[in-house]
Amino acid sequence: MNILDKIVLRKKEEVAAAKALVSVRDLENAVHFKRTPHSFKDFLLAADRTGIIAEFKRRSPSKGLINGVADVAEVTQAYNHAGASALSVLTDVDFFGGKKEDLLAARAANNIPVLRKDFMIDEYQILEAKAWGADIILLIASILTPQQINDFGKFAHNLGLNVLLEVHNLEELERSICPNLDAIGVNNRNLGDFTVDIQTSFNLVNQIPDEFLKISESAISNPQTIKELKIAGFNGFLIGENFMKTDHPGTAIKEFVAQI
Ligand SMILES: O=C(O)c1ccccc1NCC(=O)[C@H](O)[C@H](O)COP(=O)(O)O
């Protein structure tokens, strides 16, 4: 069984446990449920923003522990002040060391879009995302059917949430594309074997229809790469480990942004 299969299996148990604990009505009554989410597009294309989607990531299956001490409010505020267009906050507990409270803290400390970074397999998680103050949800093509992507995208849009579809190859892109999406992210990391290759983004960018925002995800560590990805047509750049592996992620992003 590969890591994605393990994550999805565990996620099913996690979602079942959450449903038993918190009702849909409780989620709908949460304070954030009534807020109007930020437009991902507005912030990604804003002239005074960088296009960087800066991720708060404590650990990962590929790297193990990345940062065990960072404070989510402090780091995400620093990301925001450095010009991040959006924040990505992992809420997966078992594999990434994230939690709901991280998303709530990032939301409370910032007024820019926040992506709930998790493995969405059930509409209930989209309601959670809205209740916890997220603006964007992630749909990963390799773990969902085209029907699920369409239905989850529609469900999220009906809640005013933005939808980022993640693909890793042309086959995933072609089978998953549907109108209920805002952005398409090309993951440079193969989630089956963890190999990374930025060329994956360059190979796929022209296959993504221009009506969608184009995001390059993972393994970005060089400011020069951002310049090349922009020229190729990307609007956004999801970066986690490169900042989080340092003692001061807020300083790391500032120095990175000065070079793009
Ligand atoms: O990062 C992993 O090891 C990983 C393993 C299995 C599924 C997903 C995984 N990562 C999720 C991501 O998409 C990244 O956190 C994100 O793109 C940022 O990547 P990076 O800049 O390389 O930290």
Side-chain angles (χ1 to χ4, degrees):
M1 192 188 285
N2 76 16
I3 189 71
L4 266 187
D5 295 332
K6 285 184 190 159
I7 292 173
V8 170
L9 208 62
R10 175 71 192 114
K11 197 57 62 183
K12 284 180 183 164
E13 295 170 356
E14 211 180 89
V15 172
K19 281 181 177 175
L21 221 61
V22 182
S23 69
V24 166
R25 180 176 291 190
D26 285 344
L27 292 174
E28 287 171 346
N29 285 332
V31 173
H32 291 311
F33 208 89
K34 291 164 196 69
R35 71 177 272 281
T36 303
H38 290 302
S39 157
F40 192 19
K41 186 177 183 180
D42 286 355
F43 278 80
L44 214 51
L45 303 184
D48 61 342
R49 295 270 155 192
T50 57
I52 293 174
I53 302 150
E55 184 158 287
F56 189 83
K57 184 178 188 183
R58 287 200 180 85
R59 55 180 298 114
S60 73
S62 60
K63 296 291 161 66
L65 184 65
I66 298 170
N67 192 325
V69 295
D71 177 77
V72 66
E74 192 184 309
V75 168
T76 56
Q77 273 184 334
Y79 283 166
N80 182 356
H81 293 151
S85 292
L87 302 166
S88 167
V89 180
L90 281 148
T91 53
D92 176 81
V93 181
D94 291 347
F95 296 88
F96 291 85
K99 50 187 188 292
K100 156 193 171 180
E101 287 76 15
D102 287 345
L103 182 47
L104 290 169
R107 169 76 292 139
N110 297 282
N111 205 16
I112 62 174
V114 180
L115 164 68
R116 178 186 183 188
K117 192 86 189 316
D118 211 317
F119 299 81
M120 309 303 264
I121 52 162
D122 193 303
E123 282 181 357
Y124 178 87
Q125 296 166 288
I126 303 174
L127 293 170
E128 283 182 334
K130 174 90 178 173
W132 300 348
D135 304 279
I136 313 162
I137 59 144
L138 177 72
L139 299 179
I140 301 177
S142 61
I143 61 169
L144 298 169
T145 65
Q147 186 68 51
Q148 283 176 313
I149 291 169
N150 188 58
D151 293 350
F152 291 171
K154 193 170 175 187
F155 189 76
H157 274 176
N158 284 339
L159 295 170
L161 294 165
N162 301 266
V163 181
L164 166 61
L165 171 74
E166 175 179 302
V167 301
H168 180 65
N169 54 44
L170 186 59
E171 192 269 319
E172 285 180 7
L173 176 66
E174 286 180 342
R175 73 158 189 256
S176 310
I177 217 148
C178 66
N180 294 309
L181 308 170
D182 302 286
I184 298 186
V186 179
N187 199 340
N188 300 310
R189 179 174 289 110
N190 179 327
L191 300 185
D193 62 14
F194 299 154
T195 52
V196 293
D197 187 354
I198 297 281
Q199 192 58 39
T200 314
S201 282
F202 293 109
N203 292 345
L204 281 187
V205 64
N206 292 328
Q207 313 302 323
I208 303 174
D210 288 335
E211 70 205 79
F212 301 109
L213 296 162
K214 303 179 187 188
I215 318 288
S216 178
E217 303 176 7
S218 304
I220 301 172
S221 59
N222 187 340
Q224 179 61 26
T225 306
I226 302 276
K227 292 180 189 168
E228 291 164 10
L229 288 166
K230 273 187 189 169
I231 292 168
F234 283 98
N235 314 106
F237 320 93
L238 177 60
I239 306 179
E241 187 195 327
N242 185 58
F243 305 138
M244 288 299 294
K245 72 180 178 189
T246 68
D247 288 341
H248 301 286
T251 308
I253 190 174
K254 220 170 139 188
E255 289 171 359
F256 188 92
V257 164
Q259 298 174 67
I260 62 175

